[in-house]
Amino acid sequence: QVQLVQSGAEVKKPGASVKVSCKASGYTFSNFDINWVRQATGQGLEWMGWMNPNSGNTGYVQKFQGRVTMTRNTSISTAYMELSSLRSDDTAVYYCALRVGTYYYFAYWGQGTLVTVSS
Amino acid sequence: DIQMTQSPSTLSASVGDRVTITCRASQSVSSWLAWYQQKPGKAPKLLMYKASSLEGGVPSRFSGSGSGTEFTLTISSLQPDDFATYYCQEYNSYPWTFGQGTKVEIK
C-alpha cells in the first residue's frame, strides 16, 4: 500500500533553514507528483508547491518563491522540502501529499513534520 | 488566488443527525473541488473529489454536491467517528487553495 513517511520534528532558530524528508513506498516513486502542504497550529491548510520526481520539475506558490526548494533522491524514493530564512510564522506542521491522477487533489498524505521556529 | 469560504466554522451535532457543510468559492471552480476530513494530530484524509465523487473506502453516508461557486458536503447520519474538522479544496485554478475548515463537534 502507498505510504509516505516523513522525518521527525525540528526546532530551528529564526533565519535558519530546515529540510524535511518524505520517503515513499508502495508505488513507483517517479510516477506521481509530490506536493507539500503546511498547517500552522490551529489553522487551515496551505499548499506550498509540487515536484515531479521523474523530471525534478517544480512549481512553488509565489509566497514561498525564493525560500523553498523541493528536491528528490530517486535512488531512495525520497522527496525533500527545504525552507530557508525561517520566521516564527513558519512554525507549522508540514505534510507531503501525493497527487495520483491528472488533477490536484491529494489521496495520500505523510504523517506530518512539526517545524518550530523559536529563538 | 481563489478564496474558499466554509460555513459554519463550527457545528455542534448529535450522533444520527444529518449534517451539511457549505463551501463557497470567490470565483467559479467548475466541479474541481475536493473534501477532506482531519482528526486532531492526524493528516487530512480525502473524502470526495470532483465535487461529488466518493473516494474509495469512504462510507456512503458522505455525499457532495454543487458546481461553480457553491458546494456542500453532507453526512446523512452522523457517526461517532465523524467528529472531526472538514476542509474543502479547489483545484481549478493555481495555486490550489483550501477553505478554513469546519469543526464538527459533539452537541
Side-chain angles (χ1 to χ4, degrees):
Chain A
Q1 71 283 19
V2 173
Q3 273 196 306
L4 301 172
V5 179
Q6 298 183 223
S7 49
E10 303 261 15
V11 179
K12 297 291 183 180
K13 293 194 182 302
S17 297
V18 68
K19 191 171 186 177
V20 179
S21 67
C22 172
K23 183 170 178 57
S25 62
Y27 72 99
T28 302
F29 179 66
S30 58
N31 281 2
F32 304 120
D33 290 354
I34 297 273
N35 292 256
W36 291 88
V37 177
R38 76 176 187 179
Q39 184 173 38
T41 303
Q43 302 300 308
L45 300 162
E46 182 176 32
W47 182 69
M48 300 177 67
W50 61 272
M51 183 200 63
N52 181 300
N54 186 42
S55 63
N57 288 346
T58 56
Y60 307 138
V61 173
Q62 187 171 12
K63 172 180 179 178
F64 300 104
Q65 289 272 5
R67 285 208 303 141
V68 70
T69 306
M70 297 177 188
T71 57
R72 85 290 191 213
N73 183 335
T74 55
S75 67
I76 56 172
S77 300
T78 300
Y80 303 92
M81 187 283 299
E82 184 170 19
L83 190 62
S84 62
S85 302
L86 289 168
R87 308 184 288 254
S88 58
D89 63 358
D90 291 318
T91 295
V93 175
Y94 289 77
Y95 293 101
C96 57
L98 201 59
R99 176 177 79 107
V100 297
T102 305
Y103 301 103
Y104 269 91
Y105 57 86
F106 310 116
Y108 300 97
W109 295 68
Q111 83 278 18
T113 297
L114 174 62
V115 175
T116 303
V117 183
S118 174
S119 54
Chain B
D1 299 0
I2 294 179
Q3 306 302 314
M4 306 300 291
T5 304
Q6 291 181 230
S7 59
S9 296
T10 306
L11 187 160
S12 297
S14 301
V15 172
D17 284 354
R18 181 181 180 87
V19 165
T20 298
I21 298 168
T22 298
C23 176
R24 290 186 173 87
S26 60
Q27 62 191 74
S28 176
V29 299
S30 186
S31 294
W32 306 122
L33 187 102
W35 289 97
Y36 301 85
Q37 176 193 68
Q38 187 179 35
K39 296 182 179 179
K42 300 294 186 182
K45 173 188 174 183
L46 178 67
L47 298 176
M48 315 281 308
Y49 59 95
K50 206 177 179 186
S52 59
S53 296
L54 197 66
E55 173 70 351
V58 174
S60 59
R61 62 180 180 272
F62 290 91
S63 63
S65 65
S67 66
T69 61
E70 188 154 335
F71 302 85
T72 58
L73 175 71
T74 299
I75 309 172
S76 60
S77 177
L78 198 65
Q79 298 302 299
D81 191 49
D82 301 338
F83 291 97
T85 300
Y86 294 84
Y87 293 93
C88 61
Q89 178 226 332
E90 68 83 15
Y91 51 100
N92 181 74
S93 297
Y94 189 97
W96 330 122
T97 52
F98 294 84
Q100 83 281 10
T102 295
K103 183 177 182 180
V104 177
E105 59 182 26
I106 300 172
K107 191 172 186 179

